Amino acid sequence: MNEEIKDYNKLELLDGTVVDLEPKLNLKKLMYINKDFNTDEFAKMTMGSNEMNVSVIQGAKAVYVAYRQANMNDYISFDEFILNWEFDMEVATMVYNLMMFKKMRDDYQKTFEKANKEKKLQK
């Protein structure tokens, strides 16, 4: 039996509310979001000895940007978002990677589709 693949298009907040995420970077939306939320730090990459490092703040901002991209008109502030989300570096890193790297998105999409197909066949 396959391990269930996490859906990074949704995120559950502490109050049980499930919000949509759009973990594919949309530059037009990013520029719009940047008008009232500084997205510069999120997009900086730190490379060292053949690995990329994502800081906690970059990860948190990546998840918030993914949230804002999916909720362009009706959204909560970054501060409110952070207060209502139990930070998870695994989720933050994955969302960051999905936003920044096309190959990662493509591989994830294939794995997610395959897992869903297998799940339907088991029913």
Side-chain angles (χ1 to χ4, degrees):
M1 183 177 217
N2 287 345
E3 185 178 317
E4 187 153 338
I5 305 298
K6 288 186 181 180
D7 182 357
Y8 293 99
N9 292 303
K10 304 273 184 206
L11 183 74
E12 185 173 350
L13 301 180
L14 291 172
D15 66 2
T17 303
V18 176
V19 295
D20 291 328
L21 299 181
E22 186 180 312
K24 179 179 179 182
L25 189 59
N26 179 315
L27 290 179
K28 185 175 181 178
K29 287 182 178 181
L30 184 68
M31 289 187 295
Y32 183 78
I33 293 165
N34 199 47
K35 290 180 180 182
D36 64 31
F37 175 73
N38 186 347
T39 61
D40 295 344
E41 186 174 343
F42 135 75
K44 289 180 187 174
M45 278 196 235
T46 306
M47 302 293 282
S49 62
N50 297 326
E51 65 179 37
M52 181 190 71
N53 299 310
V54 177
S55 74
V56 169
I57 298 301
Q58 284 174 300
K61 286 187 171 189
V63 175
Y64 183 70
V65 168
Y67 161 75
R68 285 285 305 269
Q69 286 188 153
N71 302 279
M72 291 298 290
N73 297 315
D74 186 22
Y75 55 86
I76 58 177
S77 70
F78 178 70
D79 291 337
E80 190 175 349
F81 182 84
I82 293 304
L83 288 173
N84 287 297
W85 174 46
E86 185 174 353
F87 181 82
D88 181 336
M89 193 62 181
E90 178 185 346
V91 171
T93 302
M94 186 63 170
V95 169
Y96 183 90
N97 287 329
L98 289 170
M99 292 185 83
M100 300 300 281
F101 303 105
K102 182 180 182 324
K103 180 172 178 5
M104 183 74 125
R105 277 192 310 275
D106 293 345
D107 291 349
Y108 168 75
Q109 187 64 36
K110 288 176 189 170
T111 303
F112 190 75
E113 287 172 359
K114 182 180 177 186
N116 281 338
K117 187 176 183 178
E118 289 174 3
K119 194 175 186 180
K120 286 179 184 178
L121 290 173
Q122 290 175 357
K123 288 183 179 181

